[in-house]
Amino acid sequence: MTIRESSGLKGAFATLARQTSTPVVVIVGGLIAALVMVGLCALVLYEGRLDALERARSTSGNLALIAERDIERNFELYELSLQAVVDGMNRNDVMALPPRLRNDVLFDRAANAKYLGSVLVLDEAGNIVMDSADVKPRRGSFADRPYFTVQRDHPETGLYISDPYASRLRGGAASIALSRRLSHPDGSFAGVVMIAVNLDYFRNLFAGLSLGTHGAVSLITQRGIMVMRQPYDTHIIGRDISQAETFRRFRAEPQGSFSETASIDGVRRLYYFRNFPSLPLVIMVAEAEQDVYADWRRRAITIGSLMAIFALVFVGLSVMLAAQLRLRIRAEAELAVLARTDALTGLHNRRSLGDILEDEWRRASRTHTPFALLFLDIDRFKAFNDAYGHQAGDAALASVAHCIADNIRRPADKAARYGGEEFVVLLPDTSPAGAALVAEKIRAAISELPIEHGGSEYRRLTASIGLAHWRPGDNADVSALMRAADDALYTAKARGRNVVVTAIALD
C-alpha cells in the first residue's frame, strides 16, 4: 500500500469522484439545450413547410377558379348561340327570310368571335346545310363525328362537348365541338347544330397562369380525354387518361387537393382540381413540389445551417466549460487533500488528525467499542539530520511513513504526522493485543529499513512507540488517551528506544 493509497486519502478522492459528475451534468445540459433549440427550429421550419403547402393550395385553387369562370362564361355564350340557331330554325318566319338575312339572324355574327370556327347546321345525314361562314354552305359530311352520332342516337344529350379533333374545314386546326340536336315536329332526328372552338383558346388562357417552372394545368373531359395541357404537347392532346390514378381521384369528389406523381412526365406535384358544375369538364392545376418548396427550402437550408452551427458552438462551449469546471474541481479537491495531508509523507497532517480523532472518539463512545492510539517517534532524529543532512532526513521520514501505511490495512485505521519526527496512529475497534501487534509490526518494519544511523545505539534508523488503549466504561477522555500514549512513548525512550511500550492505565 503506497502513501497515496492510505485510508486518509480515500475519502478525499471519493469526494473528488462525486464532484466530477458536475462537468458531466454541464455537458448533458448543453446537449439537451442544443437539442431543444434544434427541435424548436425544426418545428418552425416544419410549420413553414405547411404554410408553403397551404399557400400553394390556395394559389392553385384561385387559378383554377379563374380559368373555370372564363371557360364557363365563354361556353355559356357559345351555348346561347347554338340555342339561338335551334330556336330560329323552328320559326317559319326566320326560315322564310332571304339567305343572307336569315344567316345574320340565325348566327348573329357568332362565328366572328376569336378562337371560334364556323357555326354549321347538319342535316340528318350529316351534310352541311347551313354555314355561318357564307350563304352558300361548304361541302362536307360529318356523320362520322361523335358530336353528330351522339346527338342522333341519344335525344336526351342536350349540349354535347366533343373530344379534341383535327378540323377538316380549317386545315386540321385542333378543335373541340359544341353541338345541339335538331328535331322534327314529331321529335325525330333532324340534324345537328355545332360550333367549333379552337384549342388555342385554352392554350392561351392557360399560358397566362403562373405555375412555376414545372407546373401544369389541364382541362379534361369527364370521360377522361385530355382537352388541353400546359406545358403544351401535341402528343398529349386527346390522350385517354381515364385509367390514371390521378383522374380517378378527380372524379371521386367535386373538388379537392392531393399530392401525386404524374403518369405523363413522372413529376411529383400538388394537384388541385375542380369539376365544372354545369359542364362535363374537369380543370386541374398542379404545382410541382420542387417549385412549391423552392423558397422554403432555401430558407430552411440557411436557417437550419445557422441553427446547426449555433447548436454545435453551444455544445462546444458547454464542453469547454465542463473541462474548465473539471480542472477547477480537481484543483479544489487537490487543495482540499493538501490541506489535510502532510506534503512530505502523504499521511494526514496534525490539523486533520484533530478532526479524525474527535470523530472516532465519539463513534467509539457511542458504539461502546475499544479504541487504541499509537504515538511513534524516530529515535535520535536530530542527530540523524545533523549527520546526514535535511534531505536525507526527509527521505527517512517518508520511508517511516511507508512502513506505517503498509501495516495499517483496515479502512478505519488512520495515520498522521503529528509534527517533526512524531507520528500518530488511530486504531478504532481494536483490542489491546491487536493494537500491540500492529505497533510491533510497524516498529520492526522501520528497524529493517536499510537506513544507516551512526548516531544511534543500533547503527540504523529505529523508532519508539507508545500505545494507549481505551475500553468501554473507562471514564477517561480523548486527551487522557493522548497523554497516556505520549507517556508510554517517553517510557519507551527511557528503556533504550526501538521498543513498544503500552500504557498501564489512563489518567
Side-chain angles (χ1 to χ4, degrees), residues 443-462:
R443 184 206 64 77
I446 296 172
S447 180
E448 292 172 0
L449 289 172
I451 300 176
E452 180 182 354
H453 186 357
S456 170
E457 301 91 325
Y458 301 96
R459 313 302 296 176
R460 63 183 184 279
L461 194 71
T462 60

Side-chain angles (χ1 to χ4, degrees), residues 376-412:
L376 182 148
D377 183 82
I378 300 176
D379 297 327
R380 303 190 185 280
F381 189 69
K382 184 177 183 304
F384 183 88
N385 266 342
D386 293 342
Y388 300 100
H390 289 286
Q391 187 173 0
D394 290 346
L397 288 171
S399 297
V400 169
H402 273 290
C403 292
I404 295 173
D406 287 345
N407 286 281
I408 55 171
R409 299 186 176 277
R410 298 185 308 170

Side-chain angles (χ1 to χ4, degrees), residues 337-375:
V337 170
L338 291 174
R340 299 176 60 83
T341 305
D342 179 66
L344 178 61
T345 63
L347 301 178
H348 289 289
N349 59 22
R350 186 166 181 172
R351 178 181 177 182
S352 63
L353 173 65
D355 296 335
I356 295 171
L357 184 58
E358 187 73 23
D359 291 341
E360 294 298 339
W361 181 264
R362 283 199 299 267
R363 184 178 295 108
S365 300
R366 185 176 62 254
T367 58
H368 301 286
T369 54
F371 186 84
L373 185 145
L374 308 181
F375 235 126

Side-chain angles (χ1 to χ4, degrees), residues 122 124-127 140-149 152 168:
L122 308 179
E124 59 266 29
N127 298 312
S141 175
F142 300 95
D144 60 329
R145 294 292 197 186
Y147 58 77
F148 179 86
T149 59
R152 181 191 64 198
R168 296 171 184 168

